[in-house]
Amino acid sequence: MPLSSHRFLLTIIVLCAASTLSAFTVKRNVNDPTPPEEVVVIFDKDASHDHIELIPNGKECRMDFAEDGAIQIHFDGNAEANPEIRWEAGENRPSPFNARDYNYVILRCQWSGQQTRTFPNGRTREEQPDNPWFTTTLLDTEGVRTSGLNIASITGNEAVPREMVTLKIPMALYLQTAFNDPSQLEAVAFKMAKTHDYNQRDYTFTIERIALAN
């Protein structure tokens, strides 16, 4: 192909890319080291939680508020569980909310506990897997979810957080393969996958704060 034709094709590609990018509004560079600014606080352990509804959605899952006000999600046994956290709308706290209005979901949380594995000879062993396949998602008003995100992958070290950490989850990750209406979201949800019958869980996921940020 002549050089002039190469230059013509390159020009077309650049123009098309520029046109595509111009269709989006970038609110914030996700590589910016500046901490995201919280604009909506859905839950904080030190504030009233009268507006919060906890829904376990699992026969071996329990949810409650700890003495310090934090949300605790307990997983026993080995069955699947799909706990949800919902809230009533309030001042500066929309429900439902439009995911496209925010760049991050802020989740201050900690994972604790272990599972006990029983071997065919009756011997048992306590295990603390780095990745227990525990995911987070967002639900719309019809109960349909966005993408499910593995908590262990979000932390950056491929392990659930054994200490209290603040996860800044890009909203774009939730929306990469969303199956629902991202403009009508009303719940932060989780999924604990079923495990083998020879495993017995004793896990607790503690949440101190949930917020939306830009």
Side-chain angles (χ1 to χ4, degrees), residues 136-204:
T136 176
T137 188
L138 304 173
L139 303 180
D140 69 9
T141 53
E142 301 297 322
V144 183
R145 66 180 181 86
T146 60
S147 297
L149 307 177
N150 190 332
I151 293 291
S153 298
I154 296 171
T155 61
N157 61 0
E158 297 300 321
V160 287
R162 291 284 175 176
E163 298 179 352
M164 188 63 65
V165 298
T166 299
L167 301 179
K168 306 172 184 66
I169 309 171
M171 189 68 76
L173 294 181
Y174 282 108
L175 303 183
Q176 58 187 342
T177 54
F179 301 100
N180 61 2
D181 183 354
S183 70
Q184 295 292 311
L185 301 180
E186 66 173 8
V188 175
F190 304 90
K191 180 177 180 178
M192 187 79 237
K194 175 178 172 52
T195 188
H196 299 289
D197 291 343
Y198 52 70
N199 290 328
Q200 291 294 314
R201 296 167 172 146
D202 182 15
Y203 291 134
T204 298

